[in-house]
Structures are given as C-alpha cells and as structure tokens.
Amino acid sequence: MNTLIKSAKASRLVFALAALIALSAGIAPSRNTATAQGTGGTFTTIDFPGASVTFASRNNSSGDIVGRYISAGVTHGFPLSWGELTSIDFPGASFTTANGINPSGDIVGRYISAGVQHGFLLSGGEFTSFDFPGASSTEAFGINPSGDIVGLYESAGVTHGFLLSWGEFTSIDFPGASFTQASMINPSGDIVGR
C-alpha cells in the first residue's frame, strides 16, 4: 500500500512538524516557561523528576504529552496528563519509550526485551505487544482516535512503514525509497512520515 500526502495538507504538515520539533526540545511540568518570540506562544520545560534526560515525543488534542526519560541509565516512557507525570515500563522490558497518544489516552511506542524491539499499545491500563509478521524489529509512532496505529518495522535489513488497523498489518513503502517510516495518522486515516 502506498500512501501519499495530499497537497492541501502539506502546510498543516509543515506546521505540525515545526510544533513537534519545538515540543521535542523539552516541554516540562517544572513550569519553567518562556515566551516564544514572534509567535505569541510560550515554551514550557518538562523534566521527569530524577531523570538525567527527558524527551517529549507527541501530544494529543487534550493536551496530554508522551515521551521518554533516562534515569540511572535506563530508558522509561511517560505520559504527562493534567500536570502529572507517570512512568511507563512494559513488563519485563529493559527499555520503554512512549511515541504517540490519541485523544482517548491510548499510548503506543516500543520496548526492548531480550535484545529484541517490539511495538506496544497501552490502553485502559493494559499493555498489548505486537510485531509486524516476520519482522526483526517493530516500533509504533502514532495512533488515531479510531485506534489505527502506524510505525516502522525492519525485515531483511530494510526499514518499512506499517499501518495496523482492525488487527491487520499493511506494509507501507514510498515508491523507490530504501527507507520508509509512518509517523502519524489523523482521524481521516491520512498518514505522514519520512
């Protein structure tokens, strides 16, 4: 399945990517804020307590933010919701990161266990692990309100994008590309990536 970005949505994509870059620079509950020059907005720093590094990955329309932090050399995921940070660790994993969140608060990401990278969904307080069939590694990046999940997987040394919808995986490869990643999916099912 090939997915192309519709030109009418290109300007929203550029704005979304710029906002995502600003978010990834570090928005935090320490409430250390600064006014963004020329935008009328503000920047807020996010520092997970006790962490050496905190990265914000995505936010949803409710204002919830997900990401990862490193503490004592271990990477953990987190959601920031209603001003409260919570740690996320896939059971038995040595590494967990939260990459995407939808308006319902469902979180997707990746975890590493026994040296293998897997995708996960955290919904209603329960983790579900998933792997693209035959893949050597899988990572989820985005989830829309319908629960459709996008990400990437590696197989035979090649990185492909994927869509997981209604329990069915679809591979996504940009024509002629040697690498494809599906990063975000909107309520209409439009997918953006790299």
Side-chain angles (χ1 to χ4, degrees), residues 14-145:
V14 171
F15 176 77
L17 289 176
L20 181 61
I21 290 167
L23 256 169
S24 298
I27 298 176
S30 65
R31 295 297 172 226
N32 180 9
T33 61
T35 301
Q37 293 183 353
T39 65
T42 59
F43 290 94
T44 304
T45 302
I46 297 174
D47 289 313
F48 199 97
S52 57
V53 178
T54 304
F55 298 96
S57 298
R58 296 275 197 292
N59 65 338
N60 65 14
S61 58
S62 302
D64 303 319
I65 299 169
V66 295
R68 69 185 187 274
Y69 70 95
I70 301 171
S71 180
V74 178
T75 301
H76 311 268
F78 74 82
L80 170 60
S81 183
W82 295 97
E84 184 175 327
L85 280 163
T86 307
S87 189
I88 296 174
D89 291 297
F90 193 94
S94 58
F95 174 105
T96 304
T97 183
N99 294 332
I101 184 167
N102 70 10
S104 301
D106 299 324
I107 297 169
V108 295
R110 70 178 165 135
Y111 72 96
I112 298 174
S113 181
V116 179
Q117 180 174 281
H118 309 272
F120 76 81
L121 167 66
L122 175 58
S123 180
E126 294 191 25
F127 283 98
T128 302
S129 177
F130 57 86
D131 294 293
F132 193 95
S136 57
S137 69
T138 302
E139 180 170 5
F141 287 101
I143 182 169
N144 70 8

